[in-house]
Amino acid sequence: MFQHFKKHQKRRQKYSILRLFHSGDFLLPALALLLSTGAAAQTFTQQTSTDNPFHFFVNPFEGVDIGDDASPAFVDIDNDGDLDAFCGEYNDNIHFFQNTGTNISPNFVEVVGPNNPLNSANGKGGYRYTVSFVDIDGDGDQDAFVGNDGNADISYYKNFGNANFPFFVQQIGANNPFDGETYTEPFPAFVDIDNDGDQDVFVGAYNGEMKYYLNTGNSMNPVFTRQPAAASPLNGVGSAYFETKPAFVDLDNDGDQDAIICTFGSILYYLNTGTPANAVFTEQLLGNNPFYYPQMERALVPAFADTDNDGDLDLMVGDKDGHIIFYKNTGNVAASNFLRYRADVNANSSPAFVDIDGDGDQDMFCGNYNSPNGPYGYIYYFENTGTNASPAYLPRYGTDNPLEGQEFIGRSYPSFVDIDNDGDMDAFIGDNTGTFFYYKNTGNAANPVFVEQMGAANPLDGFDVSADSSPAFADMDNDGDFDLFSGNLFGTFLYYKNTGTAANPVFVQQMGAANPLDGVDIGIASKIALADLDNDSDLDAMLGNVDGFFFYYKNTGTNAAPVFTEQLGADNPLDGVQIELLAAPAFVDVDNDNDPDFFTGGLSGNLFYFKNTTLLPVELAGFNATKKQGEAMLYWQTASEKNNEGFEIQYSINGKNWRRIGFVNGSGDYFGTKDYEYIHQNPQPGINYYRLKQLDFNGHFEYSKTVSLYFY
């Protein structure tokens, strides 16, 4: 069968063209049908790491899980020119990861036992260890300070070795400059805040307080003197938060130290608008905060390091769950721009694909659970800054997200459809309440402006699926307007037929046999995505549930009268796939190869990608038409053929009703390019439509794209 050589051009007709996007629903342009009866279902192959377009960079700590409360720190502990890593955790341990790669491509390998330079700090009791490195005695090697929440103190491990071979020995009593001080969740951050040549220290804590210690000694013999709150340049900062963990770097390359403070669920950025000797910290919000992310993990701990040796600092953040999250600096030393290594919406990701900016490629909105303000559903927006064949997604916040600020009860489920037939995409969003929120696009196809419609202005006003409404729109009865399916908390599916028009919808719930999914029950938290998975010109259904499984219901009816029949085992292209809990399926042609690819969200908030790797026996390299002396000249080329009987040439004057006008024999099995042509001698005045019906010897067939010529 053909692998189509060109993506269907975007069309705005809503009556004859059944293409829309609910969580990436991949539907059918009526003028470019893909496959007809007899074709096999699709094959999907999971893509991981950076082969997933929502996995932007390789995280050097991908897959590392140290338990709880990861607290990373980076230092070239063996003086080999690359950065090694240490990481505290909830249990009384500090893990050591030696960099066995390079300063450009790090490879961190955990080293345990006596080969861990801080092995002597482990097993000392207490819990929630943090670690910080600084040459506190000016002898040219790195010393270590270990915070211990359980013991409410900071221990000092002096390096009696050297820069190449560290040897840490705990110092007690007066030899520890923090002797006698007590803390809750202590995290020391060292910085020369007054530019006098020695290291001062700020200590973050659970209650948000940050204690400031001025070094009244010198760079070789520190004496840390606690300063009153009013004397601290960070006075009041963090008081409204929990679990403050500070870090200091010159982020804007102006010669003074800026402050980055991790808290319970966010990263705050304070620009130093003072001088190197007299710091004045000013908080930067939203777009001015390069670390802004609407909702982050808990118990965040920052660590800056140039992990790729490109001259600017990247950020590693430890979290409550024991993971280390990578933020790559895609800017430079003077203008930092931090991008989280993969799209992650915190919890319960529910993707929806749509070309929201009218540039011909698919952007993505994603519902979640846990907004910036609490346990609400937030809508993330990822703009495709690449192409329709090579997507490159970037998160957009604030005014760059057309649904910024909208929050929903519990989990949120976005869906997009041109419900008023005005040529742009409107938004419907379900949530835990079981109702539907309607946002009319009062802008246009390239610059959306979403305005919530209430009461009678919402065509789904008063509809209630009990809980977890997850809308999916499609023209299920082939009447030129959009109908609605919705999953719910109880694992069933409700169907609402549009008895109005494409511009003025009127939805009426269909019960019993009038609901094509009547009686289907997949457990809890049902979701639906629609696509032509068997290429027979009607829509099939892929269903997801709370356990993370996918159920395939093939449409054995027609595009006007669907009949869904469950397919089991090998007949389900996602049989046996279970990524994680709370599956949220979506289809979209993300690589512009004219077949539907598959994405799913889940409990973790990540996005999982399954590329459509279906291999078709006949690969069409081109199909076009030209006029010559009043005749239509059709040309096409195949890149390879297998079992190809030939090509039926089909003709239409309206793009809907087709008839055969000729046949050209194929080449059976042929490897290499092959050219074909056909002459239509009697085209009619007006638009003339042409397509190919390629037939295999075994009876399978497929339609090409449609081409057209206008004759006077």
Side-chain angles (χ1 to χ4, degrees):
M1 301 299 177
F2 296 146
Q3 282 184 334
H4 294 291
F5 60 94
K6 186 177 181 182
K7 185 178 181 181
H8 304 303
Q9 297 299 311
K10 182 182 297 182
R11 300 170 173 88
R12 292 296 180 187
Q13 300 105 307
K14 293 298 182 288
Y15 285 95
S16 61
I17 293 177
L18 310 181
R19 184 177 183 177
L20 73 159
F21 304 88
H22 154 68
S23 297
D25 291 344
F26 181 93
L27 304 190
L28 296 176
L31 303 186
L33 301 178
L34 295 182
L35 295 177
S36 189
T37 56
Q42 311 293 307
T43 300
F44 296 100
T45 304
Q46 187 176 5
Q47 309 295 298
T48 58
S49 190
T50 53
D51 290 330
N52 179 344
F54 293 100
H55 198 132
F56 312 129
F57 309 109
V58 174
N59 179 358
F61 286 93
E62 182 74 24
V64 172
D65 185 346
I66 65 165
D68 291 313
D69 294 299
S71 177
F74 291 85
V75 61
D76 184 4
I77 202 64
D78 49 10
N79 200 32
D80 62 352
D82 55 44
L83 292 171
D84 308 293
F86 291 81
C87 192
E89 59 146 308
Y90 183 85
N91 295 320
D92 53 349
N93 284 301
I94 296 174
H95 300 257
F96 172 50
F97 296 88
Q98 185 176 18
N99 186 351
T100 60
T102 66
N103 58 359
I104 298 175
S105 299
N107 181 47
F108 293 103
V109 177
E110 185 167 10
V111 178
V112 299
N115 291 323
N116 175 354
L118 277 175
N119 188 57
S120 62
N122 294 335
K124 292 293 184 70
Y127 51 84
R128 199 174 285 115
Y129 279 22
T130 66
V131 60
S132 303
F133 290 92
V134 62
D135 182 8
I136 201 65
D137 52 8
D139 62 353
D141 55 41
Q142 296 292 306
D143 306 294
F145 289 84
V146 176
N148 183 327
D149 186 25
N151 293 341
D153 61 14
I154 298 174
S155 300
Y156 170 37
Y157 288 83
K158 178 177 173 62
N159 188 347
F160 282 97
N162 54 49
N164 297 307
F165 301 101
F167 179 66
F168 292 104
V169 178
Q170 185 177 4
Q171 306 298 291
I172 60 176
N175 291 325
N176 177 3
F178 294 102
D179 183 56
E181 295 288 309
T182 59
Y183 313 90
T184 57
E185 287 193 28
F187 180 80
F190 294 87
V191 58
D192 184 4
I193 201 65
D194 54 3
N195 200 36
D196 64 351
D198 55 40
Q199 296 292 309
D200 310 295
V201 65
F202 291 81
V203 180
Y206 175 80
N207 63 2
E209 178 187 14
M210 279 184 290
K211 297 180 178 180
Y212 169 41
Y213 294 84
L214 183 67
N215 188 346
T216 56
N218 55 52
S219 60
M220 301 181 67
N221 296 287
V223 177
F224 292 117
T225 304
R226 171 82 181 273
Q227 302 298 297
S232 171
L234 287 174
N235 181 32
V237 171
S239 59
Y241 300 90
F242 293 98
E243 300 179 343
T244 50
K245 309 289 194 303
F248 296 88
V249 292
D250 184 4
L251 205 58
D252 54 359
N253 198 37
D254 65 350
D256 54 40
Q257 297 294 305
D258 308 298
I260 293 84
I261 301 170
C262 284
T263 71
F264 188 94
S266 61
I267 300 178
L268 311 179
Y269 173 41
Y270 288 82
L271 179 69
N272 187 346
T273 56
T275 67
N278 295 285
V280 177
F281 291 109
T282 304
E283 185 174 7
Q284 308 297 297
L285 302 174
L286 291 178
N288 292 321
N289 178 359
F291 310 104
Y292 175 76
Y293 205 76
Q295 178 67 24
M296 304 181 72
E297 294 78 359
R298 301 172 296 158
L300 303 175
V301 180
F304 284 90
D306 185 1
T307 58
D308 49 11
N309 198 37
D310 62 352
D312 53 43
L313 291 171
D314 307 297
L315 173 65
M316 296 284 185
V317 178
D319 74 1
K320 179 70 176 177
D321 297 323
H323 304 135
I324 300 175
I325 305 161
F326 175 43
Y327 287 78
K328 179 177 173 62
N329 190 342
T330 60
N332 54 54
V333 292
S336 296
N337 182 50
F338 292 91
L339 180 60
R340 190 182 176 100
Y341 78 103
R342 68 180 181 189
D344 184 340
V345 302
N346 191 54
N348 299 130
S349 47
S350 179
F353 291 87
V354 59
D355 182 9
I356 202 62
D357 51 9
D359 62 354
D361 54 43
Q362 295 297 304
D363 309 295
M364 195 273 285
F365 289 82
C366 195
N368 88 325
Y369 177 73
N370 274 346
S371 78
N373 299 317
Y376 304 106
Y378 177 87
I379 307 295
Y380 288 73
Y381 171 45
F382 294 86
E383 180 187 0
N384 185 352
T385 62
T387 67
N388 58 3
S390 298
Y393 289 99
L394 289 177
R396 301 301 191 196
Y397 309 117
T399 57
D400 291 330
N401 177 357
L403 285 170
E404 179 75 25
Q406 304 302 319
E407 293 182 329
F408 306 90
I409 302 300
R411 296 179 288 272
S412 56
Y413 304 102
S415 177
F416 293 85
V417 60
D418 184 4
I419 201 63
D420 50 7
N421 200 35
D422 64 351
D424 54 42
M425 303 302 281
D426 308 293
F428 286 84
I429 299 168
D431 72 359
N432 283 174
T433 67
T435 58
F436 301 92
F437 300 85
Y438 169 39
Y439 291 82
K440 178 179 172 64
N441 186 348
T442 60
N444 54 52
N447 297 287
V449 177
F450 291 111
V451 178
E452 185 176 4
Q453 308 295 299
M454 300 182 181
N458 177 0
L460 296 177
D461 180 58
F463 288 40
D464 191 337
V465 302
S466 296
D468 270 11
S469 47
S470 53
F473 291 88
D475 185 0
M476 296 308 301
D477 49 8
N478 199 32
D479 64 350
D481 55 41
F482 295 110
D483 309 297
L484 169 68
F485 281 100
S486 179
N488 64 15
L489 180 64
F490 306 106
T492 59
F493 295 90
L494 291 83
Y495 175 48
Y496 300 87
K497 177 179 172 63
N498 185 350
T499 60
T501 67
N504 296 286
V506 177
F507 291 102
V508 177
Q509 185 175 358
Q510 306 297 295
M511 311 291 287
N515 176 0
L517 288 172
D518 180 59
V520 172
D521 186 340
I522 61 171
I524 297 175
S526 51
K527 308 292 180 295
I528 181 173
L530 299 162
D532 185 6
L533 292 181
D534 53 2
N535 300 304
D536 63 351
S537 305
D538 56 38
L539 292 171
D540 309 294
M542 187 65 69
L543 315 178
N545 74 356
V546 69
D547 295 319
F549 290 111
F550 300 98
F551 305 84
Y552 173 40
Y553 281 77
K554 174 181 170 68
N555 185 351
T556 56
T558 67
N559 62 358
V563 176
F564 290 112
T565 304
E566 185 174 9
Q567 308 296 296
L568 302 174
D571 292 329
N572 176 0
L574 292 171
D575 179 58
V577 172
Q578 183 188 28
I579 296 300
E580 58 183 27
L581 299 180
L582 288 168
F587 289 100
V588 63
D589 183 8
V590 78
D591 50 8
N592 195 34
D593 63 352
N594 289 296
D595 54 38
D597 305 296
F598 180 72
F599 288 83
T600 182
L603 179 64
S604 70
N606 296 321
L607 294 159
F608 304 92
Y609 170 40
F610 291 78
K611 178 178 173 62
N612 190 328
T613 54
T614 306
L615 298 177
L616 301 176
V618 176
E619 181 180 357
L620 186 67
F623 176 42
N624 57 72
T626 62
K627 293 187 292 184
K628 184 177 181 180
Q629 298 178 347
E631 298 177 332
M633 310 294 293
L634 306 181
Y635 303 95
W636 66 98
Q637 184 183 77
T638 60
S640 64
E641 301 180 28
K642 183 178 180 181
N643 197 37
N644 180 22
E645 180 180 359
F647 305 90
E648 180 179 294
I649 292 84
Q650 295 193 345
Y651 171 70
S652 173
I653 59 173
N654 59 14
K656 297 180 181 179
N657 302 314
W658 297 88
R659 64 183 177 90
R660 170 176 167 155
I661 60 172
F663 188 85
V664 175
N665 290 326
S667 300
D669 295 334
Y670 188 86
F671 299 97
T673 59
K674 189 78 172 179
D675 294 312
Y676 297 89
E677 67 177 48
Y678 179 83
I679 302 173
H680 184 209
Q681 297 178 337
N682 301 302
Q684 302 296 308
I687 301 177
N688 293 253
Y689 298 93
Y690 301 91
R691 71 182 182 185
L692 304 174
K693 180 180 179 181
Q694 182 270 322
L695 294 97
D696 291 349
F697 285 111
N698 60 11
H700 291 169
F701 59 88
E702 178 191 2
Y703 293 111
S704 75
K705 73 167 188 175
T706 297
V707 297
S708 63
L709 293 172
Y710 189 90
F711 286 87
Y712 294 95

